Amino acid sequence: MDSFVVIALSSIKGIGAKTLVKCRESLKQWVLNEPQDILEILRQLVSEGKIPTKFTDVSSKEAEEAFQKTAGIFADMEEKGIKVVTLLESTYPEGFHELNRPPVAIYFRGSTDLLTRKGIAIVGTRKALGAGISWAEENAKRAAEKGFVVVSGLALGIDSAAHNGVINSVNPSNTIAILPCGVDKAYPARHKELAERIVGRGGLLISEYIPGAGAEKHNFVERDRLMAALSRAIVAVECSSKSGTMITMSYGYKLKRKLFVVKHSNEDAKELSIEGLEKAVFDYRAIWIDQIDKALISI
């Protein structure tokens, strides 16, 4: 499947993931050499009854814009060493197909072999305190050394602690960071060095956003859904009741993932943000754990 074809078509208003999946077989034969080919593809899909007749009204200007936009993305990818996989390819993460709105394309830097391995998300507040940071680092390291892939979001606090725990393990490649921006960037910017260390140690950076894209406000919720979909289990270490972590847990519940929350000591619990953990137990049937092993056994 030509990823250029898929991304170019997705630039046409009204063509999204569900339409592209429906048209999978018809698109296999196509390669785009010029904008006019987009119009030819649309005419064929209309004649096959795969898309509504309104797509025959797509103008040459719209086709030109879609073609040039996609060509620009691919040029940027080549310059920055970024690759892409679309939802019509076999290497696309299976869990993403479970989403109501799966990304049309995933841009990445690093080893996509990690996408087929058992993943466990370790997530939590950006304002984590010492006990939460220590738990995330130590247990992410433990998970990596047992062969699991630790998924997180490169954010301050728990996320970065989890990534660092893996990097400092005997299996430093076993981590995936899902970004709310292009994979040529990092959010927060101060974690650019951490992002490069992840790639340098054999890990993976992925994003549904094109190279150069910034971290817009709505991107964070979208990123949270991908963390849930990519993982077989999610562990919340420390969080408030209204947080991105709770959004990830919510998606995990809807996707029937195994959900866990960390049971901190009574002394540590006095200092940490744990109201979100309690809410996850009540709302999403998350299970209390003190070490990650119970979560690993479940997947």
Side-chain angles (χ1 to χ4, degrees):
M1 181 66 65
D2 191 322
S3 55
F4 192 105
V5 172
V6 176
I7 294 171
L9 286 177
S10 72
S11 297
I12 300 295
K13 184 178 180 180
I15 295 184
K18 291 182 179 179
T19 299
L20 290 166
V21 169
K22 184 179 179 181
C23 299
R24 181 196 303 268
E25 292 303 316
S26 300
L27 296 176
K28 285 183 177 180
Q29 63 180 304
W30 282 96
V31 174
L32 292 185
N33 296 309
E34 58 182 8
Q36 186 65 28
D37 291 336
I38 294 177
L39 300 180
E40 291 295 329
I41 292 174
L42 294 176
R43 280 193 282 268
Q44 176 185 317
L45 295 176
V46 168
S47 69
E48 294 174 352
K50 299 288 180 62
I51 59 176
T53 56
K54 68 178 182 179
F55 286 102
T56 57
D57 296 329
V58 172
S59 67
S60 296
K61 181 182 178 181
E62 290 173 291
E64 174 74 26
E65 290 174 349
F67 186 92
Q68 294 303 332
K69 176 183 177 181
T70 307
I73 292 171
F74 275 73
D76 204 15
M77 285 168 48
E78 182 174 4
E79 179 182 342
K80 296 174 178 176
I82 296 169
K83 296 182 180 179
V84 67
V85 58
T86 72
L87 81 170
L88 301 189
E89 298 173 64
S90 60
T91 50
Y92 184 85
E94 188 64 31
F96 290 173
H97 285 296
E98 298 177 50
L99 294 167
N100 289 330
R101 296 175 294 100
V104 168
I106 294 295
Y107 301 89
F108 66 90
R109 293 177 58 213
S111 173
T112 54
D113 291 344
L114 295 172
L115 295 173
T116 62
R117 305 255 303 277
K118 289 183 179 180
I120 182 165
I122 298 179
V123 294
T125 180
R126 293 172 173 81
K127 300 177 181 179
L129 298 180
I133 293 290
S134 296
W135 195 98
E137 287 182 349
E138 293 167 8
N139 285 273
K141 180 179 180 181
R142 185 172 180 81
E145 292 179 345
K146 287 179 174 288
F148 293 86
V149 174
V150 174
V151 178
S152 205
L154 202 74
L156 296 171
I158 298 300
D159 288 22
S160 58
H163 293 306
N164 278 316
V166 176
I167 290 172
N168 294 324
S169 75
V170 296
N171 292 324
S173 65
N174 285 7
T175 191
I176 298 173
I178 304 182
L179 307 183
C181 55
V183 293
D184 55 328
K185 295 178 175 289
Y187 188 89
R190 73 178 79 172
H191 281 174
K192 180 64 173 173
E193 181 180 351
L194 175 57
E196 295 304 321
R197 288 178 64 207
I198 289 172
V199 175
R201 300 303 292 274
L204 179 65
L205 305 178
I206 69 173
S207 174
E208 63 183 303
Y209 303 107
I210 64 173
E216 304 295 334
K217 185 176 181 180
H218 63 86
N219 293 7
F220 294 92
V221 173
E222 300 296 279
R223 186 268 309 276
D224 293 340
R225 89 191 196 286
L226 297 188
M227 285 200 290
L230 190 60
S231 307
R232 299 193 184 188
I234 305 167
V235 179
V237 179
E238 179 187 353
C239 67
S240 65
S241 59
K242 294 182 179 180
S243 62
T245 298
M246 290 302 293
I247 293 172
T248 303
M249 296 294 272
S250 173
Y251 275 113
Y253 181 72
K254 294 172 183 175
L255 293 169
K256 295 180 170 56
R257 300 301 190 255
K258 303 288 186 178
L259 303 180
F260 301 90
V261 293
V262 176
K263 183 70 173 178
H264 298 281
S265 69
N266 290 335
E267 183 176 348
D268 288 335
K270 293 177 183 177
E271 304 293 331
L272 302 176
S273 296
I274 65 168
E275 62 269 22
L277 308 182
E278 295 168 339
K279 182 175 174 60
V281 171
F282 184 80
D283 289 353
Y284 307 131
R285 302 176 185 174
I287 298 171
W288 291 106
I289 57 172
D290 55 5
Q291 296 294 324
I292 204 166
D293 295 70
K294 185 173 182 179
L296 299 178
I297 291 170
S298 76
I299 58 176

